[in-house]
Structures are given as structure tokens and as C-alpha cells.
């Protein structure tokens, strides 16, 4: 049989952990979560059937740069990594503080950098406000304050915004390592106290688009939330922007420190009003369910819950497939145990869920 040895509190097989890349959500998220956890726990992984159900299966360029980034962060040995590849294996080494230029989202780099031996400075290049990915504003305004509750501290310096489809943005992220992560309790929503945001245009697009997006968003939110002042600033991005683009992000904060967002990017041939309404409706949808995190933050917190020392509990709306997938992978690669409990509220007919995790309590061997 395979030899088991313990490596700072984690069971570790000398054989690689096999991960089926086609299960559940079956996309790039499986790669991100498993590569980051492999790097942190020191377990080798072998991922097969990568994105098997997708229209263009296998690794796409952004997945490849993410895997290479993790491999570099942990001086690992990455095999099979090529565009279109459906099987890869990663054997991690020691996580070192890095000063590299990388091109993928923070989602992979951050958990690894937290367990490095020194602080890291990562230069992320690509779209800052692009389709199918969180806008950089979301990362700074929503993701950052909540992961800080786990004890993760990082700074984000937006040097250049890059708009879809051109990209060309640049963000410098500085991450400080920690000894261990703290568990987080977020079970009470409280009341919504603040709603604010930015509606932007960049490049050759007229400023009127920003004003139209902002006005339409405010009107939509007003129908449901009457008592709050809503401040969505229209902005013309001049200096620090590449490409032509327009978009909007709206943020709501609650009395207990919960943060939610709704966002949308303008597309050719779509009225600015419609973009504003889309973002407003997304925000309202995330306010209605009465959970403490929005649908996008939900799955991004799983890895931190799994690594923390102690029991985390987070109240959410409907549990997304992305979240279920992240839990599945986290349980395969760490000793964390998750439970999901459904809660029905008599008064409001609201159904929320509590995601509870007994974390694996990984400690940073370098500190």
C-alpha cells in the first residue's frame, strides 16, 4: 500500500490524489481549488478529464497560466500542462514568497501566498473588468474585506484597467504570509446600511452611457429599497485604462459587516439602461435571500474555511454548484469536514443555508 506520512497536520499519501476534472461544475474552478490546495498541503495531484463536458475541452490559456503560477509559487513539478490537455499532474515543493509577473486571477495565488515563507508581490496582467470573471472592483470591495476576517491581508494596486476584449490591465498585489487562518462566523445579516457603486466608461465611449447606467440602476433599486441614499458615481476613465468599455458595479453593506455586489459589463448593441438594470437586479437578488454572502463570494470562501483552524459558519442563499464543487475538492485534499444545513424562516418565507466547516487547521511551516 502507499505510505502515509503526516506533513504539518495533514494526511499525505506518497501516491498522488486523483481528481476527476469533469465532475459537478466540471470547469476551471476544479483546477484552481485543487492546484492551490495541492500547493498548500504538499499533496501531489493528478487531474484527469479536464473540462470534459465543455465546448472546447481541456486546458484553455487562462487555466494554463493559473497552473503555471501555482507551480512557480511552490517550486513544483507540473506535467502535461499544454493548451487542450485533458490530464495534468502537479507535485508541489516549498512555497516561496514570489516577485513574479503572472497573468491569472488572485483566486489561485492568494491562498498559496498566505502560506509562503515571505511576503509576495504578484503582478497580475489581463482584463480587470472582463466577461466571466469577477471585476477587480469586486475583488477589492467585496472579497478583500471578507477574507480579511480569516486573517488574510493583501493590498491591491490597480495600475492600469484593462477592458474586455482588449485586456491589458495590470494590478500589483502584495500578500503577507500568516501562521494560520482564523475561522469565520457570518450568520447574521442585520440591515442594509449603505448602497454605493461606480458606473464607468473608458476609451472612446461617451460619458452619457455612465450616467444612463447609473440612473437606471438607482431607479431599479429604489423600487425595492426606498429609505437608503444610493450613490452610484458615473465616471469617465481616462488615465489608467486600456480598451473601450463600460460597466457598473454596485455594492451593499450591512450593519453586521456583510458585503454584496451586483455588476454588469456593457456590450455592443445593448442599451446602457439595460446594463444598469442587470447589475441592480443581481444586487437585489443577493439582498433578498437574507444570507451573509452573495452568490459569487460563496464558493471563493470554501478554500479559506477548509484551511482555517476551528469551526467556520456562513449563512448563504441557495448553495451554488460552484460551491458544492469547491467543497468536494476541499474534502478530498484536506481533512476539513463540511456540512450544509437548510434554515427556513417562519416570518419571511426565506430559505437560507448554513455552510459549516470544521477546518483542517493548516499551519505555515515557514513561519
Amino acid at each position: 500500500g502507499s505510505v502515509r506520512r503526516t506533513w504539518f497536520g495533514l494526511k499525505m499519501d506518497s501516491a498522488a490524489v486523483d481528481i476527476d476534472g469533469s465532475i459537478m461544475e466540471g470547469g476551471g474552478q476544479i483546477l484552481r481549488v485543487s492546484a492551490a490546495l495541492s500547493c498548500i498541503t504538499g499533496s501531489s495531484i493528478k487531474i484527469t478529464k479536464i473540462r470534459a463536458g465543455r465546448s472546447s475541452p481541456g486546458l484553455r490559456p487562462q487555466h494554463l497560466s493559473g497552473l503555471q503560477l501555482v507551480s512557480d509559487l511552490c517550486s513544483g513539478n507540473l506535467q502535461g500542462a499544454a493548451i487542450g490537455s485533458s490530464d495534468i499532474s502537479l507535485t508541489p515543493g516549498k512555497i516561496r514568497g514570489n516577485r513574479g509577473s503572472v497573468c491569472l486571477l488572485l483566486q489561485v495565488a492568494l491562498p498559496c501566498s498566505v502560506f509562503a515563507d515571505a511576503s509576495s508581490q504578484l503582478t497580475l496582467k489581463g482584463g480587470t473588468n472582463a466577461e466571466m470573471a469577477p471585476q477587480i472592483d469586486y475583488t477589492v470591495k467585496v472579497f478583500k474585506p471578507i477574507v480579511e476576517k480569516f486573517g488574510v491581508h493583501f493590498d491591491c494596486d490597480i495600475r492600469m484597467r484593462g477592458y474586455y476584449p482588449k485586456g491589458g490591465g495590470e494590478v500589483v498585489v502584495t500578500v503577507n504570509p500568516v501562521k494560520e487562518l482564523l475561522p469565520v462566523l457570518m450568520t447574521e445579516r442585520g440591515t442594509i446600511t449603505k448602497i454605493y457603486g461606480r458606473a464607468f466608461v473608458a476609451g472612446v465611449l461617451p460619458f452619457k452611457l455612465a450616467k444612463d447606467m447609473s440612473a437606471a440602476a438607482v431607479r431599479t433599486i429604489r423600487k425595492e429599497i426606498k429609505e437608503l441614499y444610493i450613490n452610484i458615481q458615473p465616471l469617465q476613465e481616462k488615465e489608467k485604462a486600456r480598451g473601450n468599455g463600460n460597466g457598473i458595479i454596485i455594492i451593499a453593506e450591512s450593519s453586521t459587516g456583510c458585503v454584496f455586489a451586483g455588476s454588469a459589463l456593457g456590450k455592443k448593441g445593448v442599451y446602457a439602461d439595460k446594463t444598469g438594470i442587470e447589475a441592480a437586479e443581481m444586487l437585489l437578488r443577493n439582498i433578498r435571500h437574507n444570507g451573509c454572502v452573495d452568490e459569487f463570494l460563496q464558493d471563493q470562501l470554501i478554500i479559506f474555511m477548509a484551511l482555517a483552524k476551528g469551526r467556520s459558519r456562513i449563512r448563504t442563499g441557495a448553495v451554488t454548484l460552484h460551491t458544492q464543487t469547491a467543497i468536494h475538492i476541499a474534502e478530498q485534499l484536506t481533512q476539513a469536514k463540511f456540512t450544509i444545513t437548510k434554515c427556513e424562516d417562519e416570518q419571511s418565507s426565506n430559505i437560507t443555508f448554513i455552510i459549516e466547516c470544521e477546518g483542517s487547521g493548516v499551519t505555515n511551516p515557514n513561519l
Side-chain angles (χ1 to χ4, degrees):
S2 64
V3 188
R4 284 188 178 269
R5 50 202 166 107
T6 308
W7 197 66
F8 61 101
L10 280 144
K11 68 171 188 292
M12 183 179 153
D13 286 315
S14 52
V17 179
D18 284 316
I19 289 163
D20 178 344
S22 68
I23 51 159
M24 299 170 85
E25 194 274 322
Q29 188 212 19
I30 293 177
L31 297 165
R32 286 194 292 275
V33 176
S34 39
L37 286 173
S38 159
C39 174
I40 295 161
T41 61
S43 307
S44 301
I45 53 170
K46 185 172 179 219
I47 310 176
T48 53
K49 297 188 227 161
I50 293 169
R51 299 180 67 256
R54 296 295 199 260
S55 54
S56 50
L59 291 178
R60 305 308 318 135
Q62 70 272 27
H63 305 126
L64 191 55
S65 34
L67 288 167
Q68 281 160 343
L69 157 59
V70 170
S71 185
D72 291 348
L73 284 173
C74 69
S75 2
N77 176 8
L78 179 62
Q79 289 181 325
I83 291 175
S85 168
S86 62
D87 295 18
I88 62 113
S89 63
L90 173 64
T91 308
K94 182 179 179 216
I95 310 175
R96 304 194 179 279
N98 253 17
R99 301 194 161 267
S101 167
V102 295
C103 311
L104 193 90
L105 291 166
L106 210 48
Q107 282 180 23
V108 186
L110 188 65
C112 303
S113 303
V114 166
F115 290 96
D117 56 2
S119 77
S120 301
Q121 193 179 52
L122 306 166
T123 306
L124 305 176
K125 294 186 176 179
T128 56
N129 300 76
E131 290 286 309
M132 304 300 292
Q135 295 193 41
I136 189 68
D137 309 83
Y138 183 91
T139 303
V140 174
K141 294 281 194 302
V142 182
F143 175 74
K144 186 175 188 286
I146 306 303
V147 270
E148 285 183 344
K149 295 176 188 275
F150 288 94
V152 173
H153 291 287
F154 70 97
D155 286 311
C156 242
D157 174 16
I158 304 172
R159 302 218 169 145
M160 177 68 75
R161 284 175 178 271
Y163 297 101
Y164 174 84
K166 269 245 175 30
E170 184 173 319
V171 180
V172 177
V173 180
T174 311
V175 187
N176 294 318
V178 296
K179 185 70 188 162
E180 58 190 18
L181 295 181
L182 310 164
V184 165
L185 293 177
M186 289 178 75
T187 54
E188 298 306 319
R189 149 79 67 89
T191 54
I192 299 294
T193 52
K194 237 171 127 175
I195 296 180
Y196 61 95
R198 59 198 302 275
F200 61 84
V201 291
V204 299
L205 299 179
F207 183 54
K208 181 180 184 312
L209 288 182
K211 291 197 284 198
D212 289 352
M213 284 187 292
S214 165
V218 171
R219 276 198 308 275
T220 308
I221 297 169
R222 271 272 168 271
K223 288 180 198 156
E224 215 160 306
I225 299 174
K226 310 242 186 313
E227 58 287 352
L228 281 180
Y229 170 61
I230 303 168
N231 177 17
I232 303 173
Q233 283 186 308
L235 296 163
Q236 174 102 45
E237 301 268 18
K238 281 274 198 286
E239 319 297 278
K240 293 183 169 177
R242 288 212 173 104
N244 302 316
N246 65 309
I248 177 169
I249 178 160
I250 319 163
I251 290 162
E253 292 180 9
S254 87
S255 54
T256 58
C258 304
V259 198
F260 308 88
S263 64
L265 288 174
K267 292 188 190 68
K268 248 195 178 121
V270 174
Y271 283 113
D273 294 40
K274 200 173 166 205
T275 309
I277 292 166
E278 186 190 328
E281 285 179 341
M282 184 187 291
L283 179 71
L284 290 170
R285 192 168 70 236
N286 280 302
I287 288 176
R288 275 183 215 122
H289 62 53
N290 223 23
C292 295
V293 296
D294 66 29
E295 59 198 304
F296 308 102
L297 194 59
Q298 208 186 84
D299 64 285
Q300 292 184 52
L301 297 183
I302 297 302
I303 190 168
F304 298 100
M305 294 171 82
L307 294 167
K309 184 178 187 176
R311 177 170 298 175
S312 295
R313 301 182 71 210
I314 295 180
R315 186 183 298 275
T316 69
V319 178
T320 65
L321 185 56
H322 267 106
T323 298
Q324 293 168 39
T325 309
I327 289 173
H328 176 81
I329 302 287
E331 288 190 328
Q332 262 190 289
L333 283 166
T334 70
Q335 287 174 320
K337 285 280 165 280
F338 284 86
T339 50
I340 298 175
T341 315
K342 187 174 176 180
C343 318
E344 302 196 35
D345 178 8
E346 306 301 310
Q347 283 100 32
S348 68
S349 78
N350 259 335
I351 294 178
T352 54
F353 295 83
I354 299 269
I355 301 177
E356 192 168 321
C357 174
E358 195 54 60
S360 56
V362 170
T363 51
N364 188 335
N366 305 305
L367 295 185

